[in-house]
Amino acid sequence: MFSSVLIANRGEIAVRVIRTAKTLGLRTIAVYSDEDAASLHVRLADEAYRLGPAEVAQSYLRGDRILEIAREAAAECIHPGYGFLSENAEFAEACADAGITFVGPPPAAIRAMGLKDAAKAIMEKAGVPVVPGYHGDLQDDSFLKQKAYELGYPLIIKAVAGGGGKGMRRVDRHQDFADALAACRREARSAFGDDRVLLERYVAKPRHIEIQVFGDSHGNVVHLFERDCSLQRRHQKVIEEAPAPGMSETMRRRMGEAALAAARAVGYEGAGTVEFIVDASEGLNEDAFYFMEMNTRLQVEHPVTEAITGLDLVALQLRVAAGEPLPFTEADLGAPVGHAVEARLYAEDPAHGFLPQSGTLARLTWPEDQEGLRIDTGVEQGARISPYYDPMIAKLIVWGRDREEAMARLSRALRETSILGLRTNLGFLERLLEFKPFLDGNFDTGLIDARISALVPDLSLTLRDSLAAGLWLTHLKRVNAARAPLLTNEPRSPWSLMNGWSLGGDARTHLSLLINGDPVELDLTWRRDGTILVGSSETELADFAREGSHFRATLAGQSETAIVFDEADVVYAQWYGHHLELRAQDMLERDIDAIDGGAVIRAPMSGKLIRILVSEGEMVERGTKLAVLEAMKMEHALVAPGPALVKTIGAREGEQLAEGHVVAVLERPSDAA
């Protein structure tokens, strides 16, 4: 076994590797960018070294700098985690040349499986079924468009070097192919430095099922059963579970054999995952699965395999990399034990297309110790979710004796998790865990997109505004108490009353708030009994009070509870999975164009403005693409909300924008006239 390991990664996977390495007695060496200098993985490691600025190209993708640090720190091996350099054959070779062990497969295996087109050719030769499509070298746009026509629609365009949903588009109509191809190429070039693509027939009701494989340097290869990763949004996984619902022993054996054939075909060593697309039109059919790709690294979702096998895959990686043989055979593994589910908790906004969010975790609390629960995270309360990296906050993994128990445990864990300070997918995950088609096992990769309105329901604005009024009033009382304790501690002082006191007539109060950045004007009418009518809907707010981190109120006759955290000028609340951020409006900074019926188009997240598609003075229609923002290596289009004149452009192509930066100001046609 090694005596030291450098972890060439960040976030939760770096923390995960560090913790296992410490149990094995290894000295742990972390690397970090300037953005991550105070992060959890840096504090947990025995030693930590600076890589460079926040941008990944100048930090976590600097293989030369990582090797320089490894030599300086006398690291015997480098664990790449997942992402960044984990599937970079040149980096693996450079490690070998430097006399440092790369904890992963041989460079030849990485190369063989690193490009989807070449990998499919190898699989066909090895007798592994592949999805029909075009996987050739000719990349002329017109040729690909003709091949797409011959293949038929719908189809999928995929970057040959892709992964994580980047550089991937579904195309349903021939006339949309050119635009989709161009977008795929841009994303692929940005994320992978390679804009080549392949085409695949779209499977109508696909399940995404993958097989975990493990090989050693002594010729032994085993598979550790399957994981179902079909619940996805934007081609990225949300929930993973093992075993796959509806999987027969015969199908498990056949898919396992295909995965082993794939691994043996490239002389695989270490942890890897063979991913299959399964046609679930008529349930899981043992003859309807196709090779999709092989990930030559540890997967994000590896904990569910650990939960059903009792193995530590990171420890196994380190032992195999040190030259030890696998300590078991396929026969020793038997069958999966129980059921495991993992939920990925992200800083993202489900109500706006799952746009990534950045900001500070003002409050972060996890459930009390719960049987079968594991939480993998790389952040703590007060940490910043950076716009430079993947916005994952944590993975919640549960194990149960069966699927029903596992789902119930995960649902409870999500309900008992509290995150304030930025929008997350927490409420979305809670609803997903209660969604009958998923619980019944009747799902495929298109479930979330097809049922998004049920999984991301519209927020009742009348209830939201009433809740916001109560939250802000109690916040003001707390602020006043801190500023003038002698006045507010006097029961008869008007500063201590919450009744809108007036000399005569109805008592009224007006609040000008920003709720999640949107300006909201609230008129409050106070009744003699202490209840309040909020806004034009006159929703009744009563019995509201703050008790520690909980706010309780009666809204429209219903008892409501929110988790709350406030600072001097902001209130954060978590209510039925919705995240609210309340601030007082600065009347000098109000957006006059928006008030008068125009539209101010702002960057919905921090990112790089890569394209501006309109000019000042141009008339646009509803849905017209105005600009394209790149964040987390994916493209996000900013579109016109209706017919309008482009009055001003507020940013430049290539500019790095903060969330909320004005990209364009639009005028209504009537205003423009």
Side-chain angles (χ1 to χ4, degrees), residues 109-257:
I110 298 176
R111 282 198 178 89
M113 291 305 205
L115 299 178
K116 290 181 170 63
D117 53 349
K120 289 178 188 295
I122 294 171
M123 292 303 98
E124 286 180 303
K125 188 175 180 180
V128 179
V130 300
V131 180
Y134 174 73
H135 315 128
D137 294 328
L138 191 54
Q139 291 286 306
D140 180 74
D141 286 7
S142 59
F143 174 80
L144 290 174
K145 189 171 183 178
Q146 178 59 33
K147 280 295 182 183
Y149 182 79
E150 294 171 5
L151 185 61
Y153 295 90
L155 58 80
I156 299 287
I157 307 175
K158 291 183 179 180
V160 299
K166 300 178 180 69
M168 181 185 298
R169 290 290 189 282
R170 172 179 168 174
V171 189
D172 295 307
R173 305 183 306 168
H174 195 56
Q175 56 265 44
D176 297 332
F177 182 85
D179 286 346
L181 176 61
C184 277
R185 288 201 191 280
R186 284 194 302 271
E187 276 189 5
R189 194 181 305 117
S190 173
F192 314 112
D194 185 342
D195 68 356
R196 291 177 297 155
V197 301
L198 56 83
L199 310 178
E200 283 184 354
R201 180 186 298 166
Y202 178 73
V203 178
K205 193 175 181 182
R207 289 266 292 274
H208 182 151
I209 299 178
E210 60 190 31
I211 304 291
Q212 176 75 59
V213 296
F214 230 104
D216 63 24
S217 58
H218 303 273
N220 304 308
V221 185
V222 299
H223 76 79
L224 307 178
F225 315 118
E226 80 279 1
R227 297 184 290 255
D228 194 316
C229 308
S230 300
L231 281 187
Q232 303 177 8
R233 89 283 184 268
R234 300 179 69 170
H235 304 295
Q236 292 185 309
K237 300 163 186 174
V238 177
I239 298 280
E240 300 100 350
E241 59 181 307
M247 174 75 79
S248 68
E249 285 300 326
T250 301
M251 187 172 186
R252 178 174 294 120
R253 176 179 53 78
R254 291 194 60 182
M255 289 185 73
E257 290 171 351

Side-chain angles (χ1 to χ4, degrees), residues 329-535:
T329 66
E330 195 70 53
D332 296 328
L333 291 169
V337 178
H339 200 95
V341 193
E342 174 181 289
R344 300 190 189 190
L345 188 52
Y346 282 99
E348 62 184 13
D349 187 359
H352 294 89
F354 297 95
L355 290 176
Q357 304 292 298
S358 58
T360 300
L361 294 164
R363 177 182 171 87
L364 177 63
T365 61
W366 303 113
E368 298 293 333
D369 289 344
Q370 178 182 315
E371 184 180 1
L373 173 65
R374 163 180 166 181
I375 298 172
D376 283 12
T377 185
V379 296
E380 300 172 300
Q381 183 167 294
R384 170 177 159 80
I385 301 298
S386 170
Y388 292 99
Y389 314 118
D390 185 270
M392 181 185 285
I393 297 171
K395 303 181 305 194
L396 276 66
I397 309 104
V398 297
W399 178 90
R401 287 164 291 188
D402 53 31
R403 189 171 188 260
E404 182 179 7
E405 183 177 58
M407 292 297 176
R409 286 178 172 176
L410 182 54
S411 183
R412 174 189 165 191
L414 291 169
R415 288 195 307 271
E416 295 178 0
T417 296
S418 174
I419 305 174
L420 297 173
L422 70 173
R423 280 160 280 183
T424 74
N425 67 340
L426 179 59
F428 168 76
L429 292 173
E430 290 181 48
R431 287 186 288 275
L432 197 53
L433 265 291
E434 297 170 354
F435 199 48
K436 192 173 187 302
F438 173 55
L439 294 179
D440 290 345
N442 182 25
F443 61 91
D444 56 53
T445 59
L447 176 69
I448 290 175
D449 289 339
R451 306 296 295 276
I452 193 67
S453 60
L455 293 167
V456 187
D458 290 336
L459 175 62
S460 168
L461 296 184
T462 57
L463 292 182
R464 181 205 69 175
D465 291 352
S466 299
L467 180 74
L471 285 165
W472 194 253
L473 290 172
T474 55
H475 170 67
L476 291 178
K477 184 175 182 179
R478 287 164 61 87
V479 170
N480 288 335
R483 290 174 178 170
L486 293 179
L487 287 175
T488 53
N489 288 336
E490 168 54 51
R492 288 171 294 181
S493 166
W495 298 104
S496 66
L497 301 177
M498 299 292 289
N499 62 359
W501 180 83
S502 174
L503 281 172
D506 289 336
R508 297 182 181 276
T509 305
H510 183 80
L511 298 178
S512 294
L513 298 178
L514 291 173
I515 305 179
N516 289 344
D518 297 326
V520 177
E521 306 291 333
L522 296 178
D523 288 311
L524 311 184
T525 302
W526 301 73
R527 288 174 168 172
R528 297 291 182 183
D529 61 2
T531 61
I532 303 174
L533 299 181
V534 181

